[in-house]
Amino acid sequence: DREVPAISGRDVGQVEIKGACMMNGYLGNPAIDRNDWFNTGDLGYFHDGDLVIVGRFKELIVLAGRNVYPIDVERAAASVEGVRAGRVAAVGLDEGGMRPRLALAVEYKGTDFDAARRQVVQRVTADCGVVPSEVVFVPPGDLPITTSGKLRRLEVKRLIETGGGLR
């Protein structure tokens, strides 16, 4: 397990739950003891007594020893005109021995891809302090999502790494 340092004065950590309203477990796996802590896979912190979820541990991007939360990068990129809000996926790429890098898959409804790419890189750099090494544009509706409409970032990562299905 990696240690997740504090950001903005708030300690981010892995979210664990337990209690009487817990599920019994996952099909095919041993039952979960309701008296044991269950790791949800989420990252979060407390603010004024409320739990704030910042993302999933397995989707955390680590660049030069710094934790980068995909949602922050995605929000910055989505502020560029023509980029579809909620349809930007930020992923970390780490191809054996190379320096990890940041890639984005962006649903874009425009025609000037070069200008949009420059604007996305500038906005993410200014707002998040990291420079995307790759920005891939896809037509609206082409990013893989779950049945509930959430981005499937790990699938996007696989597609970017293999060049499959993304332009």
Coordinates of all heavy atoms in Angstrom, one line a residue, residues 24-112:
N24 N -23.1 -8.8 2.8 CA -22.5 -10.0 3.3 C -21.2 -10.4 2.6 O -20.4 -11.1 3.1 CB -23.5 -11.2 3.1 CG -24.7 -11.0 4.0 OD1 -24.6 -10.5 5.1 ND2 -25.8 -11.5 3.5
G25 N -21.0 -9.8 1.4 CA -19.8 -10.1 0.6 C -20.1 -10.1 -0.9 O -21.2 -9.9 -1.3
Y26 N -19.0 -10.4 -1.6 CA -19.2 -10.5 -3.1 C -19.3 -12.0 -3.4 O -18.7 -12.9 -2.8 CB -17.9 -10.0 -3.8 CG -17.8 -8.5 -3.7 CD1 -16.8 -7.9 -2.8 CD2 -18.6 -7.7 -4.4 CE1 -16.7 -6.5 -2.7 CE2 -18.4 -6.3 -4.3 CZ -17.5 -5.7 -3.5 OH -17.4 -4.4 -3.4
L27 N -20.2 -12.3 -4.4 CA -20.4 -13.6 -4.9 C -19.1 -14.3 -5.2 O -18.3 -13.8 -6.0 CB -21.3 -13.6 -6.1 CG -21.8 -14.9 -6.7 CD1 -22.7 -15.6 -5.6 CD2 -22.6 -14.7 -8.0
G28 N -18.9 -15.5 -4.7 CA -17.7 -16.3 -5.0 C -16.6 -16.0 -4.1 O -15.5 -16.6 -4.2
N29 N -16.7 -15.0 -3.1 CA -15.7 -14.7 -2.2 C -16.2 -15.0 -0.8 O -17.4 -15.1 -0.5 CB -15.3 -13.2 -2.3 CG -14.6 -12.8 -3.6 OD1 -13.9 -13.7 -4.1 ND2 -14.8 -11.6 -4.0
P30 N -15.2 -15.1 0.2 CA -15.6 -15.4 1.5 C -16.5 -14.2 2.1 O -16.4 -13.1 1.7 CB -14.3 -15.4 2.3 CG -13.2 -15.6 1.3 CD -13.8 -15.0 0.0
A31 N -17.4 -14.6 3.0 CA -18.2 -13.6 3.7 C -17.4 -12.5 4.4 O -16.3 -12.8 4.9 CB -19.2 -14.3 4.6
I32 N -18.0 -11.3 4.4 CA -17.4 -10.2 5.1 C -17.9 -10.2 6.6 O -19.1 -10.2 6.8 CB -17.7 -8.9 4.4 CG1 -17.1 -8.9 3.0 CG2 -17.2 -7.7 5.2 CD1 -17.5 -7.7 2.2
D33 N -17.0 -10.1 7.5 CA -17.4 -10.0 8.9 C -17.8 -8.6 9.2 O -17.0 -7.7 9.0 CB -16.2 -10.4 9.8 CG -16.6 -10.4 11.3 OD1 -17.5 -9.7 11.7 OD2 -15.9 -11.2 12.1
R34 N -19.0 -8.3 9.7 CA -19.5 -7.0 9.9 C -18.7 -6.3 11.0 O -18.9 -5.0 11.1 CB -21.0 -7.0 10.2 CG -21.8 -7.4 9.0 CD -23.2 -7.3 9.3 NE -23.9 -7.5 8.0 CZ -25.0 -8.2 7.9 NH1 -25.6 -8.7 9.0 NH2 -25.6 -8.4 6.8
N35 N -17.9 -6.9 11.8 CA -17.1 -6.3 12.8 C -15.7 -5.9 12.3 O -15.0 -5.3 13.0 CB -17.0 -7.2 14.0 CG -18.3 -7.4 14.7 OD1 -19.1 -6.5 14.9 ND2 -18.7 -8.7 15.0
D36 N -15.4 -6.3 11.1 CA -14.1 -6.0 10.5 C -14.3 -4.7 9.6 O -15.3 -4.5 9.0 CB -13.5 -7.1 9.7 CG -13.1 -8.3 10.5 OD1 -12.9 -8.1 11.7 OD2 -13.0 -9.4 10.0
W37 N -13.2 -4.0 9.4 CA -13.2 -2.9 8.5 C -13.1 -3.4 7.1 O -12.3 -4.3 6.8 CB -12.1 -1.9 8.8 CG -12.3 -1.1 10.0 CD1 -11.8 -1.4 11.3 CD2 -13.1 0.0 10.2 NE1 -12.2 -0.4 12.2 CE2 -13.1 0.4 11.5 CE3 -13.9 0.8 9.3 CZ2 -13.8 1.5 12.0 CZ3 -14.6 1.9 9.8 CH2 -14.5 2.3 11.1
F38 N -13.9 -2.8 6.2 CA -13.9 -3.2 4.7 C -13.4 -2.0 3.9 O -13.9 -0.9 4.0 CB -15.3 -3.5 4.3 CG -15.4 -3.8 2.8 CD1 -15.0 -5.0 2.3 CD2 -16.0 -2.8 2.0 CE1 -15.1 -5.2 0.9 CE2 -16.1 -3.1 0.6 CZ -15.6 -4.3 0.1
N39 N -12.3 -2.2 3.2 CA -11.7 -1.2 2.3 C -12.5 -1.0 1.1 O -12.7 -2.0 0.3 CB -10.3 -1.6 2.0 CG -9.5 -0.4 1.3 OD1 -10.1 0.3 0.5 ND2 -8.2 -0.4 1.5
T40 N -13.1 0.1 0.9 CA -14.0 0.4 -0.3 C -13.2 0.6 -1.6 O -13.8 0.6 -2.7 CB -14.9 1.6 -0.1 OG1 -14.0 2.8 0.0 CG2 -15.7 1.5 1.2
G41 N -11.9 0.9 -1.5 CA -11.2 1.3 -2.7 C -11.2 2.8 -3.0 O -10.6 3.3 -3.9
D42 N -12.0 3.5 -2.2 CA -12.1 5.0 -2.4 C -11.1 5.7 -1.6 O -10.6 5.2 -0.6 CB -13.5 5.5 -2.0 CG -14.6 4.9 -2.8 OD1 -14.5 5.0 -4.1 OD2 -15.6 4.5 -2.3
L43 N -10.8 6.9 -2.0 CA -9.9 7.9 -1.3 C -10.8 9.0 -0.9 O -11.6 9.5 -1.6 CB -8.8 8.4 -2.2 CG -7.7 7.4 -2.6 CD1 -6.8 8.0 -3.7 CD2 -6.9 6.9 -1.4
G44 N -10.6 9.5 0.4 CA -11.3 10.6 0.8 C -10.7 11.3 2.0 O -9.7 10.9 2.6
Y45 N -11.4 12.4 2.5 CA -11.0 13.1 3.7 C -12.3 13.6 4.4 O -13.3 13.7 3.8 CB -10.0 14.2 3.4 CG -10.6 15.3 2.5 CD1 -11.2 16.4 3.0 CD2 -10.4 15.2 1.1 CE1 -11.7 17.4 2.2 CE2 -10.9 16.2 0.3 CZ -11.6 17.3 0.8 OH -12.0 18.3 0.0
F46 N -12.1 14.0 5.6 CA -13.2 14.6 6.3 C -13.1 16.1 6.3 O -12.0 16.7 6.4 CB -13.3 14.2 7.8 CG -13.8 12.8 8.0 CD1 -12.9 11.7 8.2 CD2 -15.1 12.5 7.9 CE1 -13.3 10.4 8.3 CE2 -15.6 11.2 8.0 CZ -14.7 10.2 8.2
H47 N -14.3 16.8 6.1 CA -14.4 18.3 6.1 C -15.6 18.6 6.8 O -16.7 18.2 6.4 CB -14.4 18.8 4.7 CG -14.5 20.3 4.6 ND1 -13.6 21.2 5.1 CD2 -15.6 21.1 4.2 CE1 -14.0 22.4 4.9 NE2 -15.2 22.4 4.4
D48 N -15.5 19.3 7.9 CA -16.7 19.7 8.8 C -17.6 18.5 9.1 O -18.8 18.6 9.1 CB -17.5 20.8 8.1 CG -16.8 22.1 8.0 OD1 -15.9 22.4 8.8 OD2 -17.1 22.9 7.1
G49 N -16.9 17.4 9.4 CA -17.7 16.2 9.8 C -18.2 15.4 8.6 O -18.8 14.3 8.8
D50 N -18.1 15.8 7.4 CA -18.6 15.1 6.2 C -17.4 14.4 5.5 O -16.3 15.0 5.4 CB -19.3 16.1 5.3 CG -20.6 16.7 5.8 OD1 -21.3 16.0 6.6 OD2 -20.8 17.9 5.6
L51 N -17.7 13.3 5.0 CA -16.7 12.5 4.2 C -16.8 13.0 2.7 O -17.8 13.1 2.1 CB -17.0 11.0 4.2 CG -16.1 10.2 3.3 CD1 -14.7 10.2 3.8 CD2 -16.6 8.7 3.3
V52 N -15.6 13.5 2.2 CA -15.5 13.9 0.8 C -14.7 12.9 0.1 O -13.5 12.6 0.4 CB -14.8 15.3 0.8 CG1 -14.6 15.8 -0.7 CG2 -15.5 16.3 1.6
I53 N -15.3 12.3 -0.9 CA -14.6 11.3 -1.8 C -13.8 12.0 -2.9 O -14.4 12.8 -3.6 CB -15.6 10.3 -2.4 CG1 -16.4 9.6 -1.3 CG2 -14.8 9.3 -3.3 CD1 -15.5 8.7 -0.4
V54 N -12.5 11.7 -3.0 CA -11.7 12.4 -4.1 C -11.4 11.5 -5.2 O -10.9 11.9 -6.2 CB -10.4 13.0 -3.5 CG1 -10.7 14.1 -2.5 CG2 -9.5 11.9 -2.9
G55 N -11.7 10.2 -5.1 CA -11.5 9.3 -6.2 C -11.3 7.9 -5.7 O -11.5 7.5 -4.6
R56 N -10.8 7.1 -6.7 CA -10.5 5.7 -6.4 C -9.0 5.5 -6.3 O -8.3 6.0 -7.1 CB -11.1 4.8 -7.5 CG -12.5 4.9 -7.8 CD -13.4 4.1 -6.9 NE -13.1 2.7 -7.0 CZ -13.4 1.8 -6.1 NH1 -14.0 2.2 -4.9 NH2 -13.2 0.5 -6.2
F57 N -8.6 4.6 -5.3 CA -7.2 4.4 -5.1 C -6.5 3.9 -6.4 O -5.4 4.3 -6.8 CB -7.0 3.4 -4.0 CG -5.5 3.2 -3.6 CD1 -4.8 4.2 -2.9 CD2 -4.9 2.0 -4.0 CE1 -3.5 4.0 -2.6 CE2 -3.6 1.8 -3.7 CZ -2.9 2.8 -3.0
K58 N -7.2 2.9 -7.1 CA -6.6 2.3 -8.3 C -6.5 3.3 -9.4 O -5.8 3.0 -10.4 CB -7.3 1.1 -8.6 CG -8.7 1.2 -9.1 CD -9.3 -0.1 -9.3 CE -10.8 0.0 -9.6 NZ -11.4 -1.3 -9.8
E59 N -7.2 4.4 -9.4 CA -7.1 5.4 -10.5 C -6.2 6.6 -10.1 O -6.0 7.5 -11.0 CB -8.6 5.9 -10.7 CG -9.5 4.8 -11.3 CD -10.9 5.3 -11.4 OE1 -11.3 6.3 -10.8 OE2 -11.6 4.5 -12.1
L60 N -5.7 6.6 -8.9 CA -4.8 7.7 -8.5 C -3.6 7.7 -9.5 O -3.0 6.7 -9.8 CB -4.3 7.5 -7.1 CG -3.3 8.5 -6.5 CD1 -4.0 9.9 -6.3 CD2 -2.8 8.0 -5.2
I61 N -3.2 8.9 -9.9 CA -2.1 9.1 -10.8 C -0.9 9.7 -10.0 O -1.1 10.7 -9.4 CB -2.4 10.1 -12.0 CG1 -3.6 9.5 -12.8 CG2 -1.2 10.2 -12.9 CD1 -4.3 10.5 -13.7
V62 N 0.3 9.0 -10.1 CA 1.4 9.5 -9.4 C 2.5 10.0 -10.4 O 2.9 9.2 -11.2 CB 2.0 8.4 -8.5 CG1 3.2 9.0 -7.7 CG2 1.0 7.9 -7.5
L63 N 2.7 11.3 -10.4 CA 3.7 11.9 -11.3 C 4.8 12.6 -10.5 O 4.5 13.5 -9.7 CB 3.0 12.9 -12.2 CG 1.9 12.4 -13.1 CD1 1.2 13.5 -13.8 CD2 2.5 11.4 -14.1
A64 N 6.0 12.2 -10.7 CA 7.2 12.7 -10.0 C 6.9 12.8 -8.5 O 7.2 13.8 -7.8 CB 7.5 14.1 -10.6
G65 N 6.4 11.7 -7.9 CA 6.1 11.6 -6.5 C 4.9 12.4 -6.0 O 4.7 12.5 -4.8
R66 N 4.2 13.0 -6.9 CA 3.0 13.8 -6.5 C 1.7 13.1 -6.9 O 1.6 12.5 -8.0 CB 3.1 15.1 -7.3 CG 1.9 16.0 -7.0 CD 2.1 17.4 -7.7 NE 0.8 18.0 -7.6 CZ 0.4 18.8 -8.6 NH1 1.1 19.1 -9.6 NH2 -0.8 19.4 -8.5
N67 N 0.8 13.1 -6.0 CA -0.5 12.5 -6.3 C -1.4 13.4 -7.1 O -1.6 14.6 -6.7 CB -1.3 12.1 -5.0 CG -0.6 11.0 -4.2 OD1 0.2 10.2 -4.8 ND2 -0.9 10.9 -3.0
V68 N -1.9 12.9 -8.2 CA -2.8 13.7 -9.1 C -4.1 13.0 -9.1 O -4.2 11.8 -9.5 CB -2.2 13.9 -10.5 CG1 -3.1 14.6 -11.4 CG2 -0.8 14.5 -10.4
Y69 N -5.2 13.7 -8.8 CA -6.5 13.1 -8.8 C -7.2 13.3 -10.2 O -7.3 14.5 -10.6 CB -7.4 13.7 -7.7 CG -6.8 13.4 -6.3 CD1 -6.0 14.3 -5.7 CD2 -6.9 12.2 -5.7 CE1 -5.4 14.0 -4.5 CE2 -6.3 11.9 -4.5 CZ -5.6 12.8 -3.9 OH -4.9 12.5 -2.7
P70 N -7.6 12.3 -10.8 CA -8.1 12.4 -12.2 C -9.3 13.5 -12.3 O -9.3 14.2 -13.2 CB -8.7 11.0 -12.5 CG -7.8 10.1 -11.7 CD -7.5 10.9 -10.4
I71 N -10.1 13.5 -11.3 CA -11.3 14.5 -11.3 C -10.8 15.9 -11.4 O -11.4 16.7 -12.2 CB -12.2 14.3 -10.1 CG1 -13.5 15.0 -10.3 CG2 -11.6 14.6 -8.8 CD1 -14.4 14.5 -11.4
D72 N -9.7 16.3 -10.8 CA -9.2 17.7 -10.9 C -8.7 18.0 -12.3 O -9.0 19.0 -12.9 CB -8.0 17.9 -9.9 CG -8.4 17.8 -8.5 OD1 -9.6 18.0 -8.2 OD2 -7.6 17.4 -7.6
V73 N -8.0 17.0 -12.9 CA -7.5 17.2 -14.3 C -8.7 17.3 -15.3 O -8.7 18.1 -16.2 CB -6.5 16.1 -14.7 CG1 -6.1 16.2 -16.1 CG2 -5.3 16.1 -13.8
E74 N -9.6 16.4 -15.1 CA -10.8 16.3 -16.0 C -11.6 17.6 -15.9 O -12.1 18.1 -16.9 CB -11.6 15.1 -15.6 CG -10.9 13.8 -15.9 CD -11.4 12.6 -15.1 OE1 -12.4 12.7 -14.3 OE2 -10.9 11.5 -15.4
R75 N -11.8 18.1 -14.7 CA -12.6 19.3 -14.5 C -11.9 20.5 -15.3 O -12.5 21.3 -15.9 CB -12.7 19.6 -13.1 CG -13.7 20.7 -12.8 CD -14.0 20.9 -11.3 NE -14.6 19.7 -10.7 CZ -14.2 19.0 -9.7 NH1 -13.1 19.4 -9.0 NH2 -14.9 18.0 -9.2
A76 N -10.6 20.6 -15.2 CA -9.8 21.6 -15.8 C -10.0 21.5 -17.4 O -10.2 22.5 -18.1 CB -8.3 21.6 -15.4
A77 N -9.8 20.3 -17.9 CA -9.9 20.1 -19.3 C -11.3 20.4 -19.8 O -11.4 20.9 -20.9 CB -9.5 18.7 -19.7
A78 N -12.3 20.0 -19.1 CA -13.7 20.2 -19.5 C -14.1 21.7 -19.6 O -15.1 22.0 -20.2 CB -14.6 19.5 -18.5
S79 N -13.3 22.6 -19.0 CA -13.6 24.0 -19.1 C -13.2 24.6 -20.4 O -13.6 25.8 -20.7 CB -12.9 24.8 -17.9 OG -11.5 24.8 -18.1
V80 N -12.6 23.8 -21.3 CA -12.2 24.3 -22.6 C -13.4 24.2 -23.5 O -14.1 23.2 -23.5 CB -11.0 23.5 -23.2 CG1 -10.8 23.8 -24.7 CG2 -9.8 23.7 -22.4
E81 N -13.7 25.3 -24.3 CA -14.9 25.3 -25.2 C -14.8 24.1 -26.2 O -13.8 23.8 -26.8 CB -14.9 26.6 -26.0 CG -16.2 26.7 -26.8 CD -16.3 28.1 -27.5 OE1 -15.7 29.0 -27.0 OE2 -17.1 28.1 -28.5
G82 N -15.9 23.4 -26.3 CA -16.1 22.3 -27.2 C -15.8 20.9 -26.6 O -16.1 19.9 -27.1
V83 N -15.2 20.9 -25.4 CA -15.0 19.7 -24.6 C -16.2 19.4 -23.8 O -16.8 20.3 -23.1 CB -13.8 19.8 -23.7 CG1 -13.6 18.6 -22.8 CG2 -12.5 20.0 -24.5
R84 N -16.7 18.2 -23.9 CA -17.9 17.8 -23.3 C -17.7 17.5 -21.8 O -16.9 16.7 -21.4 CB -18.5 16.5 -23.9 CG -19.8 16.1 -23.5 CD -20.3 15.0 -24.3 NE -21.6 14.5 -23.8 CZ -22.0 13.3 -23.9 NH1 -21.4 12.4 -24.6 NH2 -23.2 12.9 -23.3
A85 N -18.4 18.3 -20.9 CA -18.2 18.2 -19.5 C -18.6 16.8 -19.0 O -19.6 16.2 -19.5 CB -19.1 19.2 -18.8
G86 N -17.8 16.2 -18.1 CA -18.1 14.8 -17.7 C -17.6 13.8 -18.6 O -17.8 12.6 -18.3
R87 N -17.1 14.1 -19.7 CA -16.6 13.1 -20.7 C -15.1 13.4 -21.0 O -14.7 13.4 -22.2 CB -17.5 13.1 -21.9 CG -18.9 12.6 -21.6 CD -18.8 11.1 -21.2 NE -20.1 10.6 -20.9 CZ -20.6 10.4 -19.7 NH1 -19.9 10.7 -18.7 NH2 -21.8 9.9 -19.6
V88 N -14.3 13.6 -20.0 CA -12.9 13.6 -20.1 C -12.3 12.6 -19.1 O -12.7 12.5 -18.0 CB -12.3 15.0 -19.7 CG1 -10.8 15.1 -19.7 CG2 -12.9 16.1 -20.6
A89 N -11.4 11.8 -19.6 CA -10.8 10.7 -18.7 C -9.3 11.0 -18.6 O -8.6 11.0 -19.7 CB -11.1 9.3 -19.3
A90 N -8.8 11.2 -17.4 CA -7.4 11.4 -17.2 C -6.9 10.1 -16.6 O -7.4 9.5 -15.7 CB -7.2 12.6 -16.2
V91 N -5.8 9.7 -17.2 CA -5.1 8.4 -16.7 C -3.6 8.6 -16.7 O -3.1 9.4 -17.4 CB -5.5 7.2 -17.6 CG1 -7.0 7.0 -17.6 CG2 -5.0 7.4 -19.1
G92 N -3.0 7.8 -15.8 CA -1.5 7.7 -15.8 C -1.0 6.6 -16.6 O -1.6 5.5 -16.5
L93 N 0.0 6.9 -17.4 CA 0.6 5.8 -18.2 C 2.0 5.5 -17.6 O 2.8 6.5 -17.4 CB 0.7 6.2 -19.7 CG -0.6 6.6 -20.4 CD1 -0.3 7.0 -21.8 CD2 -1.6 5.4 -20.3
D94 N 2.3 4.3 -17.5 CA 3.6 3.9 -16.9 C 4.1 2.7 -17.7 O 3.9 1.6 -17.3 CB 3.5 3.6 -15.4 CG 4.8 3.3 -14.8 OD1 5.9 3.6 -15.4 OD2 4.8 2.8 -13.6
E95 N 4.8 2.9 -18.8 CA 5.2 1.8 -19.7 C 6.6 1.4 -19.3 O 7.6 2.0 -19.7 CB 5.2 2.2 -21.2 CG 3.8 2.4 -21.7 CD 3.5 3.9 -21.8 OE1 4.4 4.7 -21.8 OE2 2.3 4.3 -21.9
G96 N 6.7 0.4 -18.4 CA 7.9 -0.3 -18.0 C 9.2 0.5 -18.0 O 9.8 0.6 -19.1
G97 N 9.6 1.1 -16.9 CA 10.8 1.8 -16.8 C 10.8 3.2 -17.2 O 11.7 4.0 -16.9
M98 N 9.8 3.6 -18.0 CA 9.7 5.0 -18.4 C 9.1 5.8 -17.3 O 8.4 5.3 -16.5 CB 8.9 5.1 -19.7 CG 9.5 4.5 -20.9 SD 8.5 4.7 -22.4 CE 8.4 6.4 -22.6
R99 N 9.4 7.1 -17.4 CA 8.7 8.0 -16.4 C 7.2 8.0 -16.6 O 6.7 8.1 -17.7 CB 9.2 9.5 -16.7 CG 10.1 10.0 -15.6 CD 10.6 11.3 -16.0 NE 9.6 12.4 -15.7 CZ 9.7 13.6 -16.0 NH1 10.8 14.1 -16.6 NH2 8.8 14.5 -15.7
P100 N 6.5 7.9 -15.5 CA 5.0 8.0 -15.6 C 4.6 9.3 -16.3 O 5.2 10.3 -16.1 CB 4.5 7.9 -14.2 CG 5.6 7.3 -13.4 CD 6.9 7.8 -14.1
R101 N 3.5 9.2 -17.1 CA 3.0 10.4 -17.7 C 1.5 10.5 -17.7 O 0.8 9.5 -17.4 CB 3.6 10.5 -19.2 CG 3.3 9.3 -20.0 CD 4.1 9.3 -21.3 NE 3.9 8.1 -22.0 CZ 3.0 8.1 -23.0 NH1 2.3 9.1 -23.4 NH2 2.8 7.0 -23.7
L102 N 1.0 11.7 -17.9 CA -0.4 11.9 -17.9 C -1.0 12.0 -19.3 O -0.5 12.6 -20.2 CB -0.7 13.3 -17.2 CG -2.1 13.8 -17.2 CD1 -3.0 12.9 -16.3 CD2 -2.1 15.2 -16.6
A103 N -2.1 11.2 -19.5 CA -2.8 11.2 -20.8 C -4.3 11.5 -20.5 O -4.8 11.2 -19.5 CB -2.6 9.9 -21.5
L104 N -4.9 12.2 -21.5 CA -6.3 12.5 -21.4 C -7.0 12.0 -22.7 O -6.5 12.1 -23.8 CB -6.5 14.0 -21.3 CG -6.2 14.6 -20.0 CD1 -4.8 15.1 -20.0 CD2 -7.1 15.8 -19.8
A105 N -8.2 11.4 -22.5 CA -9.1 11.1 -23.6 C -10.2 12.1 -23.4 O -10.8 12.2 -22.4 CB -9.6 9.7 -23.5
V106 N -10.5 12.8 -24.5 CA -11.5 13.9 -24.4 C -12.5 13.8 -25.5 O -12.2 13.7 -26.7 CB -10.7 15.3 -24.6 CG1 -11.6 16.5 -24.6 CG2 -9.6 15.4 -23.6
E107 N -13.8 13.9 -25.1 CA -14.9 13.9 -26.1 C -15.0 15.4 -26.5 O -15.2 16.3 -25.7 CB -16.2 13.5 -25.5 CG -16.3 12.0 -25.3 CD -17.7 11.4 -25.0 OE1 -18.6 12.2 -25.0 OE2 -17.8 10.2 -24.8
Y108 N -14.8 15.6 -27.8 CA -14.7 17.0 -28.3 C -15.7 17.2 -29.5 O -15.8 16.3 -30.4 CB -13.3 17.2 -28.8 CG -13.1 18.6 -29.4 CD1 -13.2 19.7 -28.6 CD2 -12.7 18.7 -30.7 CE1 -12.9 21.0 -29.2 CE2 -12.4 20.0 -31.3 CZ -12.6 21.1 -30.5 OH -12.3 22.3 -31.0
K109 N -16.5 18.3 -29.4 CA -17.4 18.5 -30.5 C -17.0 19.8 -31.3 O -17.8 20.8 -31.3 CB -18.8 18.6 -29.9 CG -19.0 19.5 -28.7 CD -20.3 19.5 -28.1 CE -20.3 20.4 -26.9 NZ -21.4 20.1 -26.0
G110 N -15.9 19.7 -31.8 CA -15.4 20.9 -32.6 C -14.6 20.3 -33.8 O -14.5 19.1 -34.0
T111 N -13.9 21.3 -34.5 CA -13.1 20.9 -35.7 C -11.7 21.3 -35.6 O -10.8 20.7 -36.3 CB -13.7 21.5 -36.9 OG1 -13.8 22.9 -36.8 CG2 -15.1 20.9 -37.2
D112 N -11.3 22.2 -34.7 CA -10.0 22.7 -34.6 C -9.2 21.9 -33.5 O -9.1 22.4 -32.4 CB -9.9 24.2 -34.3 CG -8.5 24.8 -34.5 OD1 -7.6 24.0 -34.6 OD2 -8.4 26.0 -34.5

